[in-house]
Amino acid sequence: MSRGVTSDHVLFDECIDAFRRENENSHPLDSGESYSFLLTSFELTNEWDLGVCKVFRTVRVTLPGAYSAFISKVKNPSWVGTHNSHLFGIALSAIVSSVTLKVCKSTRDEHLCRRSDLSESDMQQLAILHPILTAGTGGRNTFLSQARQAKMQLEIASIISKLMSLEYKKYRILMQSLRLIHLSVSTKRDDFGLAYFLAISAIESVAQKAISRNTVKKKHPDEKLWKEKSINDPCFKGVLEAYLESRGKNEYLKERFVRFLLKYSPADKWLEYVEHPMQDLEEYFQEMNPSRYIDHFTGKSCLEKYPEDLTVLEIDSVLSDAYVHRSCFVHRGEQPPHTNPNPLVNRFFQEVREYDGYNTKVAILPNYELLLGLAKNSILNWVGETK
């Protein structure tokens, strides 16, 4: 049951309940036709049938400067009803964003959700909720090929079908982790460190359920000798007990995070899971002019590192360091050491060099897009295995 008035504030638990009711026999308080809205960062040129709902093609609203808004109306399923029907749209936007890894938002109130036809003023109200920079430095590519749009539709419909068929507790777990990816994508331009933290948190939220503490906990090789020595040494016994107590409180979160990724999104799959930053643009140009060869947009550059260029230990180190950077942001507010939040050449990693006199230290960092790809696919792979 959602609040009577949501007051322009989102409680995502209400959205989870609105998207799929726990009790199949329950009915909405106010039955009737309702709509919600998706405000995307791309133009949808065809309708999407997602099984439970229909998403209409995009209406583009031009805003001042180089900004535009891309609005798609959604025909909600019958179980949503008219009371707080926007909650369904918020949940749907989280799914769309976490699957496409593109920014997607919805409205925080139901003000326009009962209208089948929207006026120009209505569209302007929606447009100011999510303006997209479409030109100039930092402008987004808002055009997607027909093939890309069709692929996105199939993938979203498949995930929704899975969400509807999962045991309800697992459905909630999946929705919560997808929401973290959604929030990460939505906040990247405002704060890279926060987006980085949220992407890793999405992985960690499931890793704690998929990888038990006992499978990664470490026991010191000399522990048996220490126990023998503590028998006749009360002082040493106290030190050992303090050590064992401290170790017992260690949840080994970093180790579980790394183990989860290596199990559910191994490095030999990263080429499949992580697209090149220029992939959308290359596909769109190729569709517009099939005779033009433009594969160089997404090819591997001569100095670029791919997963196969790293050893197993280096992969493990890259993932472990990513978790450390996440912890530095949470506990000290330190941004990750990345120097480019939006690399257009390097697909997987970026290198950061630190100079100390005559010494140079090189760090290999996972791109934000790599973390997103691993988050999405590892979580979905875990759900597919545990259904």
Coordinates of all heavy atoms in Angstrom, one line a residue, residues 28 30-34 75-82:
P28 N -6.4 -2.8 -7.3 CA -6.1 -1.4 -7.0 C -7.2 -0.7 -6.3 O -8.4 -1.1 -6.5 CB -5.8 -0.8 -8.4 CG -6.6 -1.7 -9.3 CD -6.5 -3.1 -8.7
D30 N -8.3 2.3 -6.9 CA -9.1 3.0 -7.9 C -8.8 2.3 -9.2 O -7.8 2.6 -9.9 CB -8.7 4.5 -8.0 CG -9.0 5.2 -6.6 OD1 -10.0 4.9 -6.0 OD2 -8.1 6.0 -6.2
S31 N -9.7 1.5 -9.6 CA -9.5 0.8 -10.9 C -9.8 1.8 -12.1 O -10.5 2.7 -11.9 CB -10.4 -0.4 -11.0 OG -11.8 0.0 -10.9
G32 N -9.2 1.5 -13.2 CA -9.4 2.3 -14.3 C -8.1 2.5 -15.1 O -7.0 2.1 -14.7
E33 N -8.2 3.1 -16.3 CA -7.1 3.2 -17.2 C -6.1 4.3 -16.7 O -6.5 5.3 -16.2 CB -7.6 3.6 -18.6 CG -6.5 3.6 -19.7 CD -7.2 3.8 -21.0 OE1 -7.3 5.0 -21.4 OE2 -7.5 2.9 -21.7
S34 N -4.8 4.0 -16.7 CA -3.8 4.9 -16.3 C -2.6 4.8 -17.1 O -2.3 3.9 -17.8 CB -3.5 4.7 -14.8 OG -2.7 3.5 -14.6
K75 N 1.4 2.9 -21.4 CA 0.1 2.4 -21.0 C 0.2 1.4 -19.9 O 0.8 0.3 -20.1 CB -0.6 1.8 -22.2 CG -2.0 1.1 -21.9 CD -3.0 2.2 -21.5 CE -4.4 1.6 -21.4 NZ -4.5 0.6 -20.3
N76 N -0.2 1.7 -18.7 CA 0.0 0.9 -17.5 C -0.8 -0.4 -17.6 O -1.9 -0.3 -18.2 CB -0.3 1.6 -16.2 CG 0.7 2.7 -15.9 OD1 1.9 2.7 -16.4 ND2 0.4 3.6 -15.1
P77 N -0.4 -1.5 -17.0 CA -1.3 -2.7 -16.9 C -2.5 -2.4 -16.0 O -2.4 -1.4 -15.2 CB -0.4 -3.7 -16.3 CG 0.7 -3.0 -15.6 CD 0.9 -1.7 -16.4
S78 N -3.5 -3.2 -16.1 CA -4.8 -2.9 -15.4 C -4.6 -3.0 -13.9 O -5.4 -2.3 -13.1 CB -5.8 -4.0 -15.8 OG -5.4 -5.3 -15.6
W79 N -3.6 -3.8 -13.3 CA -3.5 -3.9 -11.9 C -3.0 -2.6 -11.2 O -3.1 -2.5 -10.0 CB -2.7 -5.1 -11.5 CG -1.2 -4.9 -11.8 CD1 -0.3 -4.2 -11.1 CD2 -0.5 -5.6 -12.8 NE1 1.0 -4.3 -11.6 CE2 0.9 -5.2 -12.7 CE3 -0.8 -6.4 -13.9 CZ2 1.9 -5.6 -13.6 CZ3 0.2 -6.9 -14.7 CH2 1.5 -6.4 -14.6
V80 N -2.5 -1.7 -12.0 CA -1.9 -0.5 -11.4 C -3.0 0.4 -10.9 O -2.9 1.0 -9.8 CB -1.0 0.2 -12.5 CG1 -0.6 1.6 -11.9 CG2 0.2 -0.6 -12.9
G81 N -4.1 0.6 -11.6 CA -5.1 1.5 -11.2 C -4.7 2.9 -11.4 O -3.7 3.2 -12.0
T82 N -5.5 3.8 -10.9 CA -5.3 5.3 -11.1 C -4.7 6.0 -9.9 O -4.2 7.1 -10.0 CB -6.6 6.0 -11.4 OG1 -7.6 5.8 -10.4 CG2 -7.2 5.5 -12.7

